[in-house]
Amino acid sequence: MKRLYRQAQIASEDSSALQLGDVLVEGDKIIGVAPEITGVGDCEVIDCTGRILMPAMFDIHVHAREPGQEEKENIATCAEAAINGGVTGFVMMPNTSPTIDNAGVVRTVLESARRARIGASIYTTGAITKGRKGEELAGIAGMKSAGAVMLTDDGFPVDNPQVLRRAMEYARDFDIPLASHCEVKELSGKGCMHEGKISYSLGLPGIPSISEEISIARDVRLAEFTGVHLNIQHVSTERGMGTIKRAKDRGIRVTCEIAPHHLLFNHEHIGNYDTHYKMNPPLRTPEDNAALLQGLKDGWFDVIATDHAPHTPFEKNQDFASAPFGITGLETALPSLYDHFISKGILDWGLIVKRYSAEPRRLMKLAPVPIKEGGVAEFILFNPARTTTFTRDFMKSKSVNTPFLDKTLQGLVERVIYRGEELLVR
């Protein structure tokens, strides 16, 4: 049966303006997009008045925790959380137990994704080094042939520049991006938040901005030398962004991510030792927030990526210094970006589609899913007039370590369509 989404405000990466129109779907294809579609015969009609119809999101930085940490999350619940937030594709990080550092584990996690039978496109990275220890290269050729789409030791930097250089050369030759978690561990030490006036007042050890910024500069120079496609993960400082901007100006093959939490929050939110604000890189300053937001608007960030990092309540309920880094993000990203920025006219829908749907797919050498005649029907319906309250019952992730727990944001993902199938209807 055909399905007609009538009078939606259609978002595109090519325009900051929304276009009012109808979208007709049959099977997994969009067979019509026009200001008004009539004469379609037997057809389910969905009134989209006041709603935003936009390509579904794609997240290149997700911790699904399988294998070995299923008490926090597994691939199936991660996919459910993604769909709940309007995300129909994501890339898993390799910091599992065992580490995703060889072809056998790559095949295992991809088979688990297939068995989950969840309507989402699920991909995996492979580790740069065995066990993410930074010492010996992982089986890069085997992981690439088994389906790994990117290399990263996410959570750990590769300290030895010669090891990282060789990894970059392999990644270049196998035409696979290499993603860097940028940190100088000797500078970070036992820090648990941004080093500054707030860490001093709270009596908590800090992580200075230079820990990230020096590592970014080093990895960019190695990328320039080797010619690899380097992706810098979760940039958190203005100076780090500036280094990447200059590298891009010189023609170095570098892309970078911005996480919503590094736009929304800063170290001032940690005043009551709330571990839901503990992440790595840490929340920086309000000045960094403003600079990163401007960088996103100006196009210096290639993708929005959540760094979805589930942890159990037992882990997060420890004291701030002992609790693990990381928050969940798949379910909260789009409503939080709408509530804080789009609804206030600071960001527009075209930018969100470009940076959280189209460009992430391109970075992974996948085709975007624009809403156009002949295209695949993979889109979401977002209602700016409704609200989302992130209760335990609402959230599909196994873990709820988010600053938005039990809070209400403006905007709601009402429908999620994946290859023509409606996975979510509210």
Side-chain angles (χ1 to χ4, degrees), residues 188-210:
S188 294
K190 296 182 180 180
C192 58
M193 66 173 293
H194 174 67
E195 181 182 295
K197 62 181 181 180
I198 305 297
S199 67
Y200 298 143
S201 68
L202 295 176
L204 292 171
I207 300 173
S209 297
I210 55 170

Side-chain angles (χ1 to χ4, degrees), residues 60-140:
I60 69 166
H61 195 149
V62 169
H63 298 269
R65 304 300 192 198
E66 185 179 342
Q69 302 164 27
E70 287 86 354
E71 71 279 6
K72 303 182 185 191
E73 191 81 285
N74 60 46
I75 294 172
T77 59
C78 192
E80 290 172 355
I83 293 162
N84 207 30
V87 177
T88 59
F90 59 85
V91 180
M92 300 181 290
M93 294 296 104
N95 58 332
T96 52
S97 183
T99 303
I100 304 174
D101 61 4
N102 62 74
V105 185
V106 169
R107 284 192 288 267
T108 296
V109 296
L110 292 177
E111 180 57 31
S112 293
R114 284 189 287 270
R115 287 200 308 268
R117 298 184 182 277
I118 301 292
S121 300
I122 302 173
Y123 303 87
T124 189
T125 58
I128 297 171
T129 62
K130 291 183 178 180
R132 296 166 55 247
K133 294 179 179 179
E135 298 169 354
E136 183 180 355
L137 291 183
I140 294 172

Side-chain angles (χ1 to χ4, degrees), residues 14-36:
D14 300 321
S15 174
S16 60
L18 299 169
Q19 300 297 319
L20 187 65
D22 294 352
V23 176
L24 183 61
V25 172
E26 184 173 26
D28 64 352
K29 296 293 184 183
I30 298 171
I31 62 172
V33 180
E36 185 178 9

Side-chain angles (χ1 to χ4, degrees), residues 177-192:
L178 184 145
S180 278
H181 170 105
C182 289
E183 180 179 11
V184 178
K185 289 189 291 189
E186 292 82 359
L187 286 169
S188 294
K190 296 182 180 180
C192 58

Side-chain angles (χ1 to χ4, degrees), residues 204-281:
L204 292 171
I207 300 173
S209 297
I210 55 170
S211 174
E212 180 180 351
E213 293 158 359
I214 290 173
S215 185
I216 289 175
R218 183 201 70 162
D219 289 6
V220 163
R221 290 300 299 272
L222 285 169
E224 182 178 27
F225 182 80
T226 61
V228 74
H229 173 188
L230 173 67
N231 183 59
I232 304 293
Q233 298 176 305
H234 42 47
V235 178
S236 73
T237 78
E238 179 180 8
R239 284 177 180 265
M241 180 185 69
T243 298
I244 296 165
K245 177 182 180 296
R246 290 188 293 273
K248 287 172 178 265
D249 288 340
R250 297 203 309 271
I252 300 173
R253 294 179 67 199
V254 58
T255 53
C256 57
E257 307 167 2
I258 182 67
H261 51 258
H262 286 130
L263 299 172
L264 295 164
F265 306 119
N266 56 69
H267 63 165
E268 296 176 1
H269 289 88
I270 307 174
N272 64 348
Y273 300 92
D274 187 345
T275 61
H276 287 157
Y277 294 98
K278 182 181 179 181
M279 56 213 65
N280 190 16

Side-chain angles (χ1 to χ4, degrees), residues 36-54:
E36 185 178 9
I37 297 176
T38 59
V40 294
D42 187 20
C43 181
E44 179 186 0
V45 178
I46 297 157
D47 182 11
C48 299
T49 303
R51 278 79 163 174
I52 314 299
L53 197 68
M54 61 192 299

